[in-house]
Amino acid sequence: MIYQSNEVEILAGNVGSDHIHLLVSVPPHLSTSKLVQYIKENTSRKLQMEYKEQNKQFWGQHLWTRGYFVASSGNVTDEIIKEYIKNQDMQERNNSDNFEIG
């Protein structure tokens, strides 16, 4: 798995209808762009394998958009960020999957 082999720890996350939020701990040798590339590639591949009936619908298209937003935490504690992620999309909260690891 890319997370173990690259010493990446997923601390919290929220899956919304059109975006996700992740709080991750990443070692300094791994660039943010490379991590996002790994995440998008691997999740796309796994979703395509798990939901084969959707492959025809998305044939020739990309599952993920090119963009992403990244911010480092330094002035804010991990607990505040976890709370922020947990409370995202209050309208979709009942329909989304929140998770916290550790």
Side-chain angles (χ1 to χ4, degrees), residues 46-62:
K46 286 185 182 220
L47 287 169
Q48 287 175 2
M49 289 173 65
E50 191 169 333
Y51 299 99
K52 292 184 187 271
E53 65 277 2
Q54 297 295 320
N55 285 347
K56 290 180 184 177
Q57 180 181 352
F58 291 105
W59 183 259
Q61 298 179 26
H62 296 280

Side-chain angles (χ1 to χ4, degrees), residues 7-99:
E7 303 170 32
V8 173
E9 185 177 1
I10 300 174
L11 304 174
N14 174 283
V15 179
S17 63
D18 62 355
H19 66 280
I20 64 171
H21 288 94
L22 290 176
L23 174 62
V24 295
S25 176
V26 182
H29 64 81
L30 181 61
S31 70
T32 304
S33 61
K34 188 54 85 175
L35 175 63
V36 171
Q37 178 186 354
Y38 288 151
I39 291 171
K40 288 181 177 186
E41 286 176 354
N42 285 294
T43 55
S44 178
R45 188 177 317 113
K46 286 185 182 220
L47 287 169
Q48 287 175 2
M49 289 173 65
E50 191 169 333
Y51 299 99
K52 292 184 187 271
E53 65 277 2
Q54 297 295 320
N55 285 347
K56 290 180 184 177
Q57 180 181 352
F58 291 105
W59 183 259
Q61 298 179 26
H62 296 280
L63 179 66
W64 296 108
T65 62
R66 292 186 199 175
Y68 61 91
F69 171 79
V70 174
S72 62
S73 64
N75 295 331
V76 181
T77 66
D78 286 353
E79 292 307 314
I80 291 173
I81 297 171
K82 286 179 184 179
E83 191 65 28
Y84 171 81
I85 290 173
K86 184 179 176 182
N87 292 317
Q88 284 299 295
D89 304 320
M90 293 299 262
Q91 296 172 349
E92 293 184 352
R93 192 170 193 188
N94 294 332
N95 297 329
S96 66
D97 297 319
N98 292 308
F99 59 90

